[in-house]
Amino acid sequence: MANSAILGLVSSLALKIAPVRANAVTPGVVADTAAVDDADPVRAEFFEAMRQRTPTKRLPTPAKIPRPWCCFCWIVDGVNGENLVVNGGSDLI
């Protein structure tokens, strides 16, 4: 729900504060976090199955989330009102 609210905010901001750009980067399940690393056995099994199903066979880590954001928001100046999903391709499965 939080990501949905952020996407609505980005869409509104992209129009209201133009020509300043507004974009979002939303991660999926992120490895090396307490939610994943300290998960109970049932959730840990779910996270492992998700990792195995992703095309990259890995989940993003907190250190990897800012990298695409830097490219997305600073280098590519023609992007506005968009969302970049950093999830190892899990939305493809």
Side-chain angles (χ1 to χ4, degrees):
M1 290 189 318
N3 281 349
S4 180
I6 289 170
L7 298 180
L9 176 65
V10 166
S11 296
S12 295
L13 285 174
L15 294 172
K16 295 203 182 278
I17 66 172
V20 176
R21 297 177 303 126
N23 295 298
V25 175
T26 54
V29 176
V30 179
D32 298 339
T33 60
V36 174
D37 293 346
D38 300 334
D40 60 74
V42 173
R43 287 192 179 122
E45 185 177 324
F46 170 78
F47 293 141
E48 178 58 23
M50 178 179 278
R51 185 186 69 77
Q52 288 295 326
R53 286 192 312 263
T54 63
T56 60
K57 302 290 187 231
R58 62 184 178 272
L59 298 172
T61 61
K64 303 272 181 171
I65 303 298
R67 291 177 185 175
W69 181 84
C70 291
C71 176
F72 189 61
C73 294
W74 289 340
I75 297 171
V76 182
D77 61 356
V79 178
N80 190 23
E82 296 297 328
N83 177 44
L84 176 62
V85 180
V86 181
N87 62 9
S90 64
D91 58 340
L92 300 172
I93 55 171

